[in-house]
């Protein structure tokens, strides 16, 4: 699904090329995002022509991008962003993997499996 959307491919490339410490890749208006993504644009035929078109594409691709570790949040109303920009805010973040959290999830699953196997042994018919 992502490969069919040039904007989603560009967002993925932008996230992959981001090397700063912050998890936030982009915060700004849809117009500013459209301008920034042109550096990662590969397909001009299906490229969104306007910020509204980009917004529609992104909204459709949010679930697929989320599976790739990219969180996109689009605001509900227009706000002042920075000194000169005004528009609906868009935030693109790279999901971080918390190793401690993974360990606790694995530990919890192991405990549930142990309880399940213990209860199986105790059943009498």
């Amino acid at each position: 699904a992502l490969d069919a959307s040039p904007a989603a491919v560009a967002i993925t490339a932008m996230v992959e090329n981001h090397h700063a410490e912050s998890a936030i890749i982009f915060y700004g208006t849809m117009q500013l995002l459209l301008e920034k993504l042109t550096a990662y644009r590969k397909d001009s035929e299906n490229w969104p022509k306007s910020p509204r078109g980009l917004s529609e594409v992104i909204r459709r691709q949010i679930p697929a991008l989320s599976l790739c570790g990219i969180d996109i949040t689009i605001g509900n109303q227009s706000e002042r962003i920075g000194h000169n920009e005004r528009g609906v805010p868009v935030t693109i973040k790279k999901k971080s993997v918390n190793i401690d959290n993974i360990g606790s999830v694995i530990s919890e699953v192991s405990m549930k499996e142990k309880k399940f196997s213990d209860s199986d042994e105790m059943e009498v018919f």
Side-chain angles (χ1 to χ4, degrees):
L2 290 176
D3 290 338
S5 171
V9 170
I11 289 170
T12 304
M14 182 177 72
V15 170
E16 288 173 358
N17 288 324
H18 183 76
H19 299 292
E21 293 290 320
S22 171
I24 297 176
I25 311 297
F26 176 85
Y27 176 77
T29 63
M30 202 59 74
Q31 175 66 40
L32 189 59
L33 180 59
L34 185 61
E35 292 169 11
K36 185 168 179 139
L37 288 177
T38 57
Y40 302 98
R41 179 179 174 176
K42 302 231 187 249
D43 177 6
S44 59
E45 186 176 315
N46 296 317
W47 190 255
K49 309 260 187 280
S50 67
R52 175 179 262 173
L54 179 61
S55 175
E56 291 171 4
V57 167
I58 289 175
R59 288 179 197 276
R60 284 192 304 268
Q61 295 296 331
I62 284 175
L65 288 165
S66 181
L67 290 173
C68 294
I70 302 170
D71 266 340
I72 300 180
T73 306
I74 301 174
N76 294 327
Q77 59 187 11
S78 184
E79 297 177 10
R80 180 170 299 284
I81 301 170
H83 296 291
N84 301 326
E85 294 288 320
R86 183 162 184 81
V88 175
V90 180
T91 306
I92 299 176
K93 289 195 266 183
K94 188 172 190 175
K95 290 182 185 180
S96 61
V97 176
N98 184 345
I99 300 300
D100 295 333
N101 189 26
I102 289 173
S104 65
V105 169
I106 291 171
S107 159
E108 187 175 323
V109 168
S110 297
M111 290 301 291
K112 286 182 180 179
E113 287 178 358
K114 182 176 179 355
K115 286 179 184 174
F116 180 73
S117 65
D118 289 347
S119 67
D120 282 351
E121 293 169 8
M122 299 178 114
E123 276 187 49
V124 177
F125 292 98

